[in-house]
Amino acid sequence: MTPIPLRHGLRALAAPMLAAAALALAAPALHADPAASPVGLWKNIDDETGQPKALIRISEKDGVLSGRIEKILTDKTDAVCDKCTDERKDKPVQGMTIVTGMKRDAAETGLFGSGRILDPNNGKVYRSQMKLVEGGRKLEVRGYIGMPLLGRTQTWIREE
């Protein structure tokens, strides 16, 4: 067996090491963290009382998020949106879509905007944005008029 010169041996070892390093760098992109998306089930917490209000299912279609009330967690399980002024007027709040048009903000990680959110208590639709916090375990949902500074934020807790 003829010994391989050292320079050829190092080159032969370098190629597999470079391939392994490239794979290690690409692996996070191949296995995206599900917490990087708000898709899933969330418990919303009333920003005034601190009590859980509902379970909201956020889903995604063609890069656009929407949210539907899956279950009301208060004693008002049969509530209807009597103050709504659109097609949701007098419809049951449970099962109602309250978040529409939410899209990922390319400029900031974990931020979603350009959406609308309905407050079934007053029937008003607000501009909205969402931001994943605490590693995706919580979602700060802000409804506002005009600009984000003029609004209020609820914290939703990931259920699944």
Side-chain angles (χ1 to χ4, degrees), residues 40-107:
L41 187 64
W42 297 87
K43 182 189 311 178
N44 81 332
I45 307 298
D46 189 303
D47 54 313
E48 294 170 0
T49 67
Q51 297 300 309
K53 289 174 55 173
L55 294 178
I56 300 167
R57 170 89 47 199
I58 296 181
S59 57
E60 180 181 358
K61 182 177 181 188
D62 299 326
V64 180
L65 301 173
S66 63
R68 181 181 60 82
I69 296 179
E70 195 163 285
K71 183 177 183 182
I72 296 175
L73 301 175
T74 67
D75 58 351
K76 300 177 184 176
T77 57
D78 59 348
V80 295
C81 194
D82 55 352
K83 295 182 181 174
C84 286
T85 58
D86 57 13
E87 69 278 355
R88 296 173 280 201
K89 181 160 183 61
D90 297 325
K91 301 285 192 233
V93 173
Q94 190 159 291
M96 183 176 286
T97 298
I98 62 165
V99 176
T100 58
M102 201 69 67
K103 298 176 187 170
R104 184 180 299 274
D105 185 331

Side-chain angles (χ1 to χ4, degrees), residues 142-157:
R142 185 154 186 85
Y144 59 93
I145 298 171
M147 65 178 81
L149 289 174
L150 305 173
R152 71 179 223 233
T153 300
Q154 285 187 343
T155 300
W156 295 4
I157 300 168

